[in-house]
Amino acid sequence: MTDERPVRVYAEQVMGTVVSIAVRPPSIMLPPDRLAIRRPPRPGSQDPRPGRAAWAGPDLDAAVAAAVARLHRADEDFSTFKTGSWVSRLRRGEIGLEDCPGHVREVYRLADACQGRSGGWFDPAWRGDGTLDPTGLVKGWAADVASAALTTAGVTDHCVNAAGDLRLRGTPAPGRSWRVGITDPFQRDRVVAVVEGTDLAVATSGTAEQGSHVLNPRTGAPATDLASVTVVGPDLAMADAYATAGLAAGRSAPELLNDLVGDGWEWLTVDAAGEVDSSAGFRGQPGQTDGPSPRVSVTRETPPSPRSHA
């Protein structure tokens, strides 16, 4: 039987951006004798198949709603623009980290671990006012949490796209992989590479949309040597952080990022002159920039439905 489950796409305004969730409905095969509607036999013949197999599974909308709720919870807890968030209260000195719930302490732990692993290029103290701000990995962490909620609900084939930082699980169609186009920071309708995969994370940090918003922690000046850094690996929170660290490192980025390759990470950079560089094992197609390509595309056999809100 042909798997005819179309990919559905949901979009949600959250964390100051739009997060899209592309899902292929979960399924199990039901035997014909369990179907509520049965196909009648052809007149004058003995149909060897008294019923028709069908797809069934958990409530897709409910699963996506649970994932979206995780995203909004992350926004409430970590936004520096919300005065009542845990991060804002910590920065004002009203509470200590020990007063925060476990998931908040975990994000700060991840930020501290990334600071150490990156030799300080990822800097939670980047504001320079004596406070810590884990913003550089929160978006990736939130997308990871949303992905985990979908997986727990049985929706194992999905892509969570948090403004270009993506957590990919399963497949968009039988025998196919998710395809992620890495946008050329100088020509937004073109790509510098296409990454294909099933269970992986892809994060990009760059200057095209927000300008030189990442600081070099050694000088305190905006990092301008690189236009974008993409990191591919097993965890989106850390990929998000390492991409930010690479952008901050500038010309030192290859040394920093190559040190991560042994731990399962790959990378691609575009410098201020438009030159592309990547790790030897980068799983994309560097330099394939013929024609426009979306950041995420699904196969023609499973086109996404019009966007809707969970």
Side-chain angles (χ1 to χ4, degrees), residues 123-220:
D123 185 12
W126 63 274
R127 291 181 180 274
D129 59 2
T131 66
L132 300 179
D133 180 356
T135 298
L137 59 73
V138 165
K139 185 173 59 174
W141 177 85
D144 268 335
V145 170
S147 173
L150 290 168
T151 300
T152 298
V155 184
T156 56
D157 298 311
H158 62 260
C159 168
V160 180
N161 182 347
D165 291 345
L166 301 104
R167 162 53 79 181
L168 311 171
R169 298 279 190 188
T171 64
R176 299 297 184 94
S177 299
W178 295 103
R179 303 181 70 242
V180 180
I182 309 303
T183 302
D184 184 333
F186 299 104
Q187 292 183 261
R188 304 294 289 166
D189 62 341
R190 296 166 67 85
V191 298
V192 294
V194 176
V195 176
E196 293 194 36
T198 53
D199 296 296
L200 73 157
V202 183
T204 297
S205 183
T207 61
E209 296 183 3
Q210 300 184 57
S212 300
H213 65 292
V214 173
L215 302 181
N216 180 325
R218 310 287 169 84
T219 66

Side-chain angles (χ1 to χ4, degrees), residues 89-132:
R89 295 176 65 193
L90 282 165
R91 294 188 62 233
R92 291 195 301 267
E94 296 175 358
I95 58 173
L97 191 57
E98 66 279 3
D99 300 313
C100 297
H103 67 282
V104 175
R105 297 196 301 271
E106 171 65 10
V107 166
Y108 275 84
R109 186 196 68 76
L110 289 173
D112 184 64
C114 189
Q115 181 181 33
R117 187 69 178 83
S118 68
W121 287 112
F122 180 85
D123 185 12
W126 63 274
R127 291 181 180 274
D129 59 2
T131 66
L132 300 179

Side-chain angles (χ1 to χ4, degrees), residues 6-67:
V7 167
R8 295 170 60 182
V9 180
Y10 298 73
E12 184 74 6
Q13 185 79 38
V14 62
M15 298 188 296
T17 187
V18 174
V19 177
S20 65
I21 301 176
V23 297
R24 186 160 67 107
S27 64
I28 57 174
M29 284 295 287
L30 291 180
D33 60 0
R34 291 185 57 191
L35 292 177
I37 299 176
R38 298 167 66 87
R39 183 182 64 186
R42 293 191 298 271
S45 68
Q46 294 295 322
D47 194 329
R49 295 177 298 171
R52 181 173 54 188
W55 295 107
D59 186 328
L60 184 63
D61 289 339
V64 174

